Amino acid sequence: MKKLILLASIFLVTALSGCKKFLDIQPKFKFSESLAINSYSDLQKTTTGAFSALQSGNLYGGGFIVNDELMADWIKTGSISDFSLNQLVSRQLNAFNSVSTGVWNDAYKTINICNIVLYNLPKFENEDPAGTKVTKGECLFIRAIMHYELLRRFAQASGYTANDAHLGVPIRLTPGNAEEGQDTKRSTVAEVYAQIQSDLEQAATLLPAAANARASQYAAYAFLAKINFTQNKFDKAIEWSEKIPVNVFVLKDSVNSVFSTGEGLPNAENIFQVDNNLNDRSNDVLHERFSDKASASSTLPLYIMNPGYFTSLLATQYSLGDKRALILFKKFATNWLCRKYTFNLSMNTPVLRYSELLLIHAESLAETGGSDADVRKDYNQLRVRAGLLADNSTSGKAALIAAVRQERDMELAMEGDRLFEVRRRKAQYFSAAGTFNWDEPRLIYPIPQQEVDQNKNMVQNPGY
Amino acid sequence: MKQIYARQALLLVFLSVITTLTYGQATITGKILSETKEGLIGATVKVKGTSTGAAADLDGNYKIENAPEGKQVLVYSYVGYSPKEIAVVLTAGENAQNDVVLKEDKLLLNEVVVVGYGTQVKKELTSSIATVKGDDVKDAPAYNFTSALQGKASGVQVTTDNGLAGAATQVRIRGTKTLSNTAEPLYVIDGVQIVAFDISDAGSRLGYNTSPLSSINPADIESYEVLKDAAATAIYGARGANGVIIITTKSGKAGKTKIDVSYSGGVSMPANKIKLLNGSDYLKLHHEAYANDSLEIVKSGGNPKSYTLPGGLSAKDIANTNWIDQMFRLGYYNEANISFSGGDAKTTFYVSGGIRDDKSFIKDNKFQRINLSANISHTASKYFDFGVNTKLTRTTNKYSAAGGSGGLGLAQSSMLPVYALKDSLGRYYDGDAVRSGIQNPLADVELTKNQNESWRTISNVYANINFLKYFTFRNEFGIDFIYQNENFYTPKVLTRDSLATAADRRNFYLTWNYAGSLKFAKDFKQNHHFEMIGVFTATNTKEKYSYVGQRGFPVDSYDEPRGGTYIDGATAGTGREFSFVSVVGRAIYQYKKRHLFQLSLRADASSRFSPTKRWGYFPALSYGWILSDEKFMQKQRVFDLLKFRLSAGTSGNAEFTDDFAYFSSFSGGQNYNNQTGIGPDNTAVKNLTWETTVKSDVGLDFGILKSRLSGSFDFYYEYTYNMLVQGYPLSPSSGYTTVAKNLGKMQNMGVELMLTSNNLGPNSPVQWKTTVTFGLNRNKILDLGGVPEVSGTNYGDNRALVGYPVGTWYLAKYAGIDPQTGYMLIYDDKGNKVIADATSTVKYRQAVGRPYPLFNGGLNNTFSYKGISLDIFLTYSYGNMVYDDAGKRQVGNMGYGFNQYEETLNRWQKPGDQTDVQKLSLIRNYDINTTRDLHDASFLRLRTLSLSYNFPMKIVNQFKARSLRIFVTATNLATATKYKGWDPETNRDKSGPITQGVTYLATPQARTISFGVNVGL
């Protein structure tokens, strides 16, 4: 009998432990968080994951460019069979808009990845002190630029209130989870810029001074110049842009070079780019919307240049032989089409180009009383590369600023710059849907309804 | 242990010796026959009050030996037949008896009902189980058996999504009890818990869902048992809350080998067609919209643009095409089945084969099913029997795009009537000026290749060991194996980048079940019947998949992803996987077969929850009282049966699409520039566990005036707590958008009625039988854990809102068209009328209507005279609403670029106009959701009308046949409804517990007219 009991208990124990094993199914396509982060190398992979998150179709994967241009005033479209895009076209968004929701969700998701790395990094610092520095720099850099991208879409621009005391976006510096961090309030625009500034400055001390790194010290400097320029802090913009040594970045000879380079290859003109290759890309939306396939039929691509200031600029430059108008745009019947995104399916997406840095520098110089020749020297590089004659005559602050801005309009057209330039210049939009002031509330994205519902400290933007 | 057995065995032998010694030596012989004088093999006869008896052989002959002498009562019984008692006086030696004819039991009280892990006699059930016989639905030309169940069982709501061949159905048993992934019941076929959710990619690629249940041939099904209350479903524990449908396939009966051959075929067409604008009306309204806009621009001081024709057409290209008609054809189907069944006292078999070839009324949409099945059982001895049920099916389904994915959806939306079928060069015409890939529904149909080939086997093997007289030890092992291969091919003319795309997707779903059970059944002193069963079960479902997609092929004839220029995805591996381990116990005690008690308990562990939260316990208790068998009821003549039932208990739901939601996880594939990256995938809520539904049921079963009227009535109340919400929203600024969480409470209560009446009595030459099913369900969300709402999984207008039924629409309330301005108005939160736009329609949303019916059911009338039978079957649904998500784009919204419903002709034109269609415009954004497009979709439908003729035996015998029957059936002949869209019975892709009753560019249901013949040999 004792033997029987023993046998029975052995059977029971085996059966029960077998049961446990049978029920402890581990997925093959994902792994638990405790298994995921166990070494510095895991954090490196997670940082790669953060760069991968930048490729999102809502972010640098093309969404920024196509949707920002849709909200600005230089393009028009035919009918779009999409609830959310239609709202963009009519500038009548609601808090369920999938474009604004996508930007919000994906940018914060990316910020969270960075925060996970930054939070865990001290534990594994000893494994590779030098590598840890770079990883930390990369994550601070991404966290900063994501906050910046959020800020300029979900909040009124700098200068909307004195001291930028108006509402910005929530600042996220720690990893989130289901239980905590659900009620982060919106900081003011000034506070968000201060955080971005601090993250970028710290990143600049940690990142390598190598032009073709994923994120380099120069990229941090360039963004510092850009965010200060966005706030019209011209002295600072000059200061940061001049930290980048001459000749590290150059303008390539041909105007389409920067749009033709793909497969994750560096391009000397890109200070910061998002790498794509054939098997890992998400910028199809750029090729689709900016297609230049205008056949003999009436079939036109989705995005057509809106008749007005920009098309007349294009026409003028075209007649002057500006290669940007000749090569990067195409005239079909009465319509102008943009070809920038048609050269290479696996194009790396330019985020901050050297030409933009030159334009920031030039305009900041003009604003702060730099010499006429110095200002012209900056933008003449762009003119010469485009096959135009150098401008040796423009002088005077107002004229120079106008000249730089026209160069900027030509150089950065259809790269998502226009929407924010109008705000910085405190100008107006002349879109197919109507004329809007730079601070039109309808052009500021609504905070996604889910955030408003779940975050009890959230304040919705006016008009939504 | 051995000693104990030996002792019992000895005792047994001793007892039987005593029994033998006590009584005399009478032998009884005779025959047990059916009404058609066929021998009832396996029928039993017993000497009442003893264990002496015998079973009938192949010809119905029996022989009882060693029966006691003197006055005795012989009890004859057979499954499905009324038992008969005959008083006899037995003498020693041979006693020849007259032939006994057993009558088929019309009330089917002695019918055996399949319950979880066993069977029970219907009369002795204490739970609420609805049975639908395969025979009752055999003429319905449905390829998915669930659609044949519509209206046949009370409390069961079945909605067929649309009329596409292979389309999915939505099944609800006593309402929706969950907010999680699925509210569909558990399906158990011959003891195997099968995969019933859509595993195809049709939903995301082609805009409608398909169902793996289509692979089961309804012709092989003997019966459907719908388990509803706690007493019935608790035995399925954490998988039972949504109800269980047990399907039993046909088996052979001992006797002559029967061959059944059937053929049916028919034509199909859309049950309804919607009316859209024709070319000239469209042009007229398009120009009017332009003129309206211009006038406004001029008023505000602007310069209107010059008029351009829709789609940038030039005047000479204007055509008048009815695109919807272009998508339809006369559909047809052919189905043939053959089965062989029979056996002897020891072995029975049922072997069948079938083929169905279905070309639906949508061009290019096809479904084919070829299936084989074999059910064999063998009784080796009194102690041992075993058997195997196996089914093998191949289905092929040629998809046709629907809804927002093209095909008919495209034909009724952006293909304007002014577009020509083909352009002047004979190319597919793509009217929309801003696209570069051709968007033409005909091209969709004729050039794309999207198909599904699936192989499936559902098989199970069992062995029963009967020992110590009262015990049965059963081992059962079953598998459900699905191999599915989908191919998707789009030629280059249809893609934006002019590169053909091809994809190959393969899924393997392997489910296995094991159930080991030990059963004990014994009568103690006649009055006490006791039964106990203990079961151990384990089940595991695992998915393996692979996907390869490529773009750009050297030649157009390449339609598989080989040799393409670009890779669009190449993954393979393990996808879903989950396990359940359960221990089940059930005890039945019956006192005098009048008072029936049942207690069941299931302990369930699921791999979907953390080890500490894994086990759940689901008890149920029920009681039944057969009043009609009580002494005081013996004198009345009204009730043949009066049974009162009471049950209470719990069952659970653990359904997820994410099998690993209980832990926070990371996943790979987050690569960047050829570097390996990982990223957070899921953040978890601690203590995630199954949801529990407490169910209670009071029921009454009755039979009146010798089965002239019979039926059952149930009242139930169900309370669900710890509801599983897979997409519980987080603040996205935390880095995560959703999490799986238990929250909230919900209740369902309702009444069910099922009535069968033989209106003219059993002796009338004309038989008129009426069956009514009625189910009323009231659902209410009681609590959502402090969250104001949980929105539908995919299309967010349905909500779970506290105090409202699940799936309630949350929409701005339409307040008419302003007669002065022509703009649409809605009510704001104070009840004032304000202009409807994208912002106001979101701001002033309110709860406005339910997608699920208040009550639904069916009404069946069968008239038969001699061999002719006419069957009229109506189904009805009341109180359900449909939200036409395309309405906002097809009623007075010329700017959207869709063709418009004909009602747009009633648009607002001048101040003072009273209408529901706003002023036309090409530039205003009318793409807004309001209750204008929410419609009452109550309906009464002539679901099937069937006329059949059974040829008389005289004729049949001339052909040496057993039976010959022909029939004509029509389905969906007529529908009475206020709903003006395609069909009130509709669902768009990805419907779930919350998202229901939403339609977008729908596909109609099929109307079929078919003819069939059944031959029995």
Side-chain angles (χ1 to χ4, degrees), chain B residues 145-174:
Chain B
F145 65 84
T146 54
S147 36
L149 292 180
Q150 191 191 62
K152 291 289 181 186
S154 56
V156 182
Q157 189 209 343
V158 184
T159 309
T160 306
D161 284 0
N162 56 56
L164 283 155
T169 57
Q170 309 277 328
V171 179
R172 296 287 180 279
I173 296 173
R174 293 189 168 174

Side-chain angles (χ1 to χ4, degrees), chain A residues 23-24 30-31 33 45 52 81 83 86 94 105 182 214 275 277-278 280-281 288 299-300 450-451 463, chain B residues 433-435 551 566 607 614 664-666 671-674 678 730-733 737 839 842 896 927:
Chain A
L23 291 166
D24 276 334
K30 59 184 192 175
F31 34 95
E33 195 166 346
K45 285 183 203 134
S52 174
S81 306
F83 189 76
N86 257 321
N94 65 32
N105 293 0
Q182 293 293 313
R214 302 200 285 201
D275 298 333
N277 59 45
L278 265 183
D280 179 16
R281 65 192 150 76
E288 283 177 14
T299 308
L300 296 174
Q450 189 177 336
E451 185 75 37
Chain B
V434 292
R435 291 173 217 263
R551 269 198 301 167
Y566 307 109
S607 64
R614 195 161 270 169
S664 295
S665 60
F666 271 53
N671 305 331
Y672 183 71
N673 201 14
N674 299 328
I678 57 174
L730 296 177
S731 304
S733 64
T737 50
T839 317
V842 165
Y896 197 79
D927 203 15

Side-chain angles (χ1 to χ4, degrees), chain B residues 436-449:
Chain B
S436 50
I438 291 176
Q439 294 275 305
N440 179 308
L442 263 188
D444 261 9
V445 158
E446 287 172 13
L447 298 180
T448 59
K449 277 185 215 162

Side-chain angles (χ1 to χ4, degrees), chain A residues 1 4 19-20 22-34 36-37 42 44-52 55 77-83 86-87 90 92-96 104-105 108-109 112-113 116 170 172 175-184 214 263-265 273-275 277-281 284 288 291 293 297-302 304 345 449-451 453-455 463-464, chain B residues 1 311-312 427 430 432-436 496-499 512 536 538-540 542 551 565-568 574-581 605-607 611 614-615 658 660 662-686 728-739 787 789 799 837-839 842 845 888-889 895-898 925 927-929:
Chain A
M1 207 62 183
L4 267 174
C19 248
K20 191 173 175 330
F22 178 66
L23 291 166
D24 276 334
I25 299 173
Q26 285 302 319
K28 299 274 167 44
F29 53 91
K30 59 184 192 175
F31 34 95
S32 73
E33 195 166 346
S34 52
I37 296 178
D42 290 340
Q44 263 184 314
K45 285 183 203 134
T46 311
T47 308
T48 301
F51 278 96
S52 174
Q55 289 178 302
T77 64
S79 70
I80 301 178
S81 306
D82 183 287
F83 189 76
N86 257 321
Q87 292 187 349
S90 62
Q92 269 212 347
L93 279 68
N94 65 32
F96 291 95
W104 182 273
N105 293 0
Y108 277 112
K109 180 184 156 200
N112 188 53
I113 302 174
I116 290 172
R172 293 287 314 181
N177 62 44
E179 271 99 17
E180 292 150 40
Q182 293 293 313
D183 300 310
T184 317
R214 302 200 285 201
E263 294 298 325
L265 295 171
Q273 66 179 22
V274 167
D275 298 333
N277 59 45
L278 265 183
N279 293 328
D280 179 16
R281 65 192 150 76
D284 286 355
E288 283 177 14
S291 167
K293 289 211 182 66
S297 77
S298 62
T299 308
L300 296 174
L302 201 53
I304 307 156
L345 271 182
Q449 193 61 37
Q450 189 177 336
E451 185 75 37
D453 289 343
Q454 305 304 324
N455 181 341
Y464 296 111
Chain B
M1 207 66 140
R427 296 174 303 191
D430 176 11
D432 199 334
V434 292
R435 291 173 217 263
S436 50
R496 279 211 175 141
D497 50 9
S498 298
L499 295 172
W512 61 258
F536 170 81
T539 176
N540 173 277
K542 190 176 192 172
R551 269 198 301 167
T565 317
Y566 307 109
I567 292 173
D568 279 349
T574 311
R576 302 197 56 177
E577 186 173 1
F578 54 88
S579 295
F580 284 87
V581 170
S606 163
S607 64
R614 195 161 270 169
W615 284 92
D658 183 354
F660 311 102
Y662 72 86
F663 59 88
S664 295
S665 60
F666 271 53
S667 62
Q670 330 267 316
N671 305 331
Y672 183 71
N673 201 14
N674 299 328
Q675 294 155 322
T676 306
I678 57 174
D681 180 275
N682 175 50
T683 186
V685 170
K686 282 174 214 142
Y728 176 79
L730 296 177
S731 304
S733 64
S734 65
Y736 299 95
T737 50
T738 57
V739 73
V787 189
E789 54 173 305
R799 287 284 187 286
D837 59 30
T839 317
V842 165
R845 288 171 303 160
K888 59 183 181 247
R889 297 168 181 179
Y896 197 79
F898 277 9
N925 182 7
D927 203 15
I928 46 178
N929 299 315

Side-chain angles (χ1 to χ4, degrees), chain B residues 353-386:
Chain B
I355 180 163
R356 180 183 174 108
D357 198 39
D358 202 320
K359 291 184 175 54
S360 85
F361 58 86
I362 307 276
K363 278 183 187 168
D364 203 40
N365 180 223
K366 292 180 213 165
F367 176 85
Q368 191 192 59
R369 178 179 57 219
I370 302 173
N371 68 283
L372 296 169
S373 81
N375 292 348
I376 294 163
S377 67
H378 178 72
T379 308
S381 74
K382 218 162 115 184
Y383 303 106
F384 184 57
D385 65 270
F386 60 90

